[in-house]
Amino acid sequence: MVDIISKRDGPRREDERARHMIQANRGAITQIADHLTQGGYSASRRAKAEASNAPPPESGRRFHDLSSGARLGPESGDVRVKVSVNNRVVAYDSGSGRQMHLLGEIRRQQGTRYFALATRENGFLSGLPDEMAGKIAELDGQIIDQACPESLLAGEIADRLGLS
């Protein structure tokens, strides 16, 4: 299946011609693929078809959910807080490694490192949800030094958000 992403509403003429040519020559393409893989192409397609118990899509369209608020499946692990190498403070799913929320970042001003909460006032494009921001708003501007290292900040944020 070929997914073609275009700014126009309908398919382009070139795309329709290419799709029609591929469909018209599907048998020859499969035969060449089987010849090159010594029958492995058709065997793998049969195995995938037998293993797949999912019903076919109703409209033939595929939807890809790329939003940050997508639901987690049962295979996901617990949510943790960490300070990444590029000084971003994030909440992430430890099972999939997927970032759940950008909580803020460690910034430097006049030689002092501090935590900046992810709010519009601090220059972030989109802030945290109000219920999360309210729980850790007190940490906005927290100085990061030997008395309060990054690991202690991450632990405090996790405690306040109920993630630990």
Side-chain angles (χ1 to χ4, degrees):
M1 179 59 128
V2 177
D3 288 337
I4 299 172
I5 300 172
S6 174
K7 291 183 181 180
R8 294 179 38 193
D9 286 340
R12 299 182 311 180
R13 283 181 279 157
E14 306 87 44
D15 299 337
E16 282 299 316
R17 279 187 262 149
R19 186 175 292 129
H20 178 66
M21 184 192 71
I22 290 171
Q23 289 299 331
N25 296 310
R26 176 64 59 197
I29 292 171
T30 303
Q31 187 178 18
I32 292 170
D34 279 338
H35 178 72
L36 293 174
T37 61
Q38 298 173 351
Y41 177 76
S42 291
S44 69
R45 298 223 9 175
R46 276 192 301 273
K48 285 180 186 177
E50 292 170 1
S52 172
N53 293 331
E58 295 174 12
S59 65
R61 296 181 181 173
R62 293 183 183 179
F63 294 95
H64 304 282
D65 186 8
L66 302 176
S67 65
S68 62
R71 292 188 204 188
L72 294 174
E75 70 279 351
S76 67
D78 58 329
V79 179
R80 297 183 184 174
V81 176
K82 75 172 181 175
V83 178
S84 63
V85 177
N86 60 356
N87 290 325
R88 294 178 183 235
V89 181
V90 298
Y92 71 101
D93 175 33
S94 65
S96 66
R98 181 175 177 205
Q99 177 178 320
M100 305 301 295
H101 295 284
L102 173 63
L103 303 172
E105 68 182 4
I106 307 294
R107 294 182 177 169
R108 183 179 300 272
Q109 184 176 16
Q110 298 174 353
T112 303
R113 297 177 67 217
Y114 67 96
F115 172 67
L117 186 65
T119 61
R120 287 190 175 269
E121 293 80 27
N122 285 338
F124 289 86
L125 294 176
S126 61
L128 282 171
D130 291 336
E131 63 273 0
M132 290 183 76
K135 293 178 181 178
I136 60 175
E138 192 176 275
L139 298 174
D140 189 21
Q142 173 68 44
I143 304 292
I144 306 298
D145 57 6
Q146 288 184 348
C148 180
E150 295 173 354
S151 58
L152 184 62
L153 175 71
E156 181 66 22
I157 291 173
D159 287 342
R160 290 184 182 208
L161 294 177
L163 302 176
S164 57

